[in-house]
Amino acid sequence: MTTAFLTKTSVLAACLLGAATPAFAQQASTAPVPIDRNVLHVQVILDHLGFGPGVLDGRGGQSLVAALKGFQEAKGLPITGKSDPQTMRALYPYRAARPTVTIALTPDMLAGPFVNPLPKDPAKQAELPSLGYRTVMEKLGEMFHTTPAVIMALNAPGTRLSPGTKVVFPNALPSSRAYDEKLTPEWRATLAMLNVDATQPQADHVVVDKSDSVLRVLDKNDKLIAQFSATMGSSHDPLPLGTWTIKGADYNPKFHFNPALFWDAKKGQQKEMLPPGPNGPVGVVWLDLSKPHYGIHGTPSPETIGRAESHGCIRLTNWDAARLSMMVKPGTKAKFQA
């Protein structure tokens, strides 16, 4: 186990090929990630409006289809899941949110500490001070709701990761960072780092729908006001159908690993208290449910949302989970349906 601090002279290509996880290295060793700027523009607008399309990558896919359907429902449009002419006209007023933004890197954006390699064994993870990002590139990916491979595709391979360097990112910048002063400074810093907008609609209730892998946020009139792609349940740990209550939020939570609750736990594993961090099992926030041992939470693997299975809980990207935490309060109802 080592803690790697990337130097200011590191380059994007070096981060992706040398200091990143194998999955990122494999992406870099094949063809570059294709980015359709028109698709990226649609994704960026939907992301700003609270209809999370998942990772901002300029590519189509099930998360974008679900986000378009949510936006169409909210606007009273035919629900096609496509960027059809009616939908494009409805998106047109929000076109000022350009698909990309160029930002000069700051020391805070590049700051660690970084944990690389990140051990998989819970016992070894419990020894760490935090379950932080592996690399600067992984952190920048989450900051801008994307992946290191997309950042690579938007910039020259020799772009240096040093303060003052101008880098092109998907435009996930919020309109406001005026977060509630009642929130802890640490949580406000996490919200700012993840580019979560301080202005969010308030939920009356949420609905988790397994049929289309989304979490829907509704007001008191049952109007859809936000929607996020989600991973929920598996054959081993099915989604607990029914109506539950969100009891509260744990920000930047520690995680109590109890092998008795995990069907895939290895023989001999013991209970462990894992430190907080974006690469922890529940990401940056845990929304506790009235159903024991269940919650709505973030994830260390945003690219898998809606495509993988969970241990029964509801997983969102870290930025969507953080955004949802601002929309709900203790007592908010959460209905889980098939």
Side-chain angles (χ1 to χ4, degrees), residues 24 106-114 133-146 148 151 193-194 278:
F24 291 156
T106 66
D108 282 347
M109 293 172 71
L110 301 173
F114 301 101
Y133 294 113
R134 298 173 181 86
T135 66
V136 173
M137 285 293 285
E138 186 179 34
K139 178 182 178 181
L140 292 174
E142 285 231 325
M143 287 180 70
F144 292 92
H145 307 179
T146 190
I151 298 173
M193 185 273 295
L194 289 172

Side-chain angles (χ1 to χ4, degrees), residues 53-298:
V55 170
L56 302 180
D57 59 5
R59 306 170 72 184
Q62 65 186 47
S63 293
L64 177 56
V65 170
L68 284 166
K69 286 182 176 180
F71 175 76
Q72 289 163 343
E73 177 183 335
K75 293 294 184 180
L77 302 173
I79 300 175
T80 65
K82 299 178 180 179
S83 299
D84 51 48
Q86 279 185 275
T87 301
M88 295 306 290
R89 283 194 293 272
L91 290 169
Y92 187 75
Y94 309 102
R95 66 192 182 283
R98 306 311 299 165
T100 60
V101 61
T102 301
I103 295 177
L105 298 177
T106 66
D108 282 347
M109 293 172 71
L110 301 173
F114 301 101
V115 183
N116 195 14
L118 187 66
K120 295 182 178 180
D121 183 0
K124 293 184 183 292
Q125 290 182 350
E127 298 173 357
L128 297 170
S130 72
L131 295 177
Y133 294 113
R134 298 173 181 86
T135 66
V136 173
M137 285 293 285
E138 186 179 34
K139 178 182 178 181
L140 292 174
E142 285 231 325
M143 287 180 70
F144 292 92
H145 307 179
T146 190
T147 66
V150 171
I151 298 173
M152 277 284 296
L154 290 173
N155 294 273
T159 303
R160 294 187 177 276
L161 289 174
S162 58
T165 299
K166 292 183 177 180
V167 178
V168 179
F169 297 103
N171 182 13
L173 293 181
S175 59
S176 171
R177 288 192 173 89
Y179 306 113
D180 189 340
E181 291 295 326
K182 295 178 183 178
L183 299 172
T184 66
E186 293 78 14
W187 180 238
R188 294 201 304 270
T190 298
L191 293 172
M193 185 273 295
L194 289 172
N195 282 316
V196 174
D197 203 300
T199 303
Q200 299 292 342
Q202 294 305 296
D204 178 77
H205 58 288
V206 303
V207 175
V208 174
D209 199 325
K210 189 168 178 61
S211 66
D212 52 9
S213 299
V214 296
L215 183 148
R216 298 155 58 83
V217 183
L218 301 107
D219 66 13
K220 62 182 181 181
N221 297 316
D222 254 3
K223 178 178 173 57
L224 184 65
I225 55 176
Q227 178 185 286
F228 307 113
S229 288
T231 292
M232 55 198 74
S234 68
S235 57
H236 293 277
D237 299 292
L239 182 73
L241 304 182
T243 299
W244 312 101
T245 300
I246 295 175
K247 297 169 62 178
D250 188 3
Y251 306 123
N252 292 315
K254 294 181 179 180
F255 180 76
H256 183 209
F257 173 75
N258 182 354
L261 301 177
F262 292 85
W263 64 267
D264 53 352
K266 295 181 180 179
K267 186 177 181 180
Q269 286 185 319
Q270 303 295 317
K271 293 181 179 180
E272 306 285 355
M273 182 60 74
L274 307 187
N279 270 323
V282 296
V284 300
V285 64
W286 169 271
L287 298 176
D288 197 33
L289 294 170
S290 55
K291 173 73 172 175
H293 309 301
Y294 284 83
I296 303 170
H297 59 84

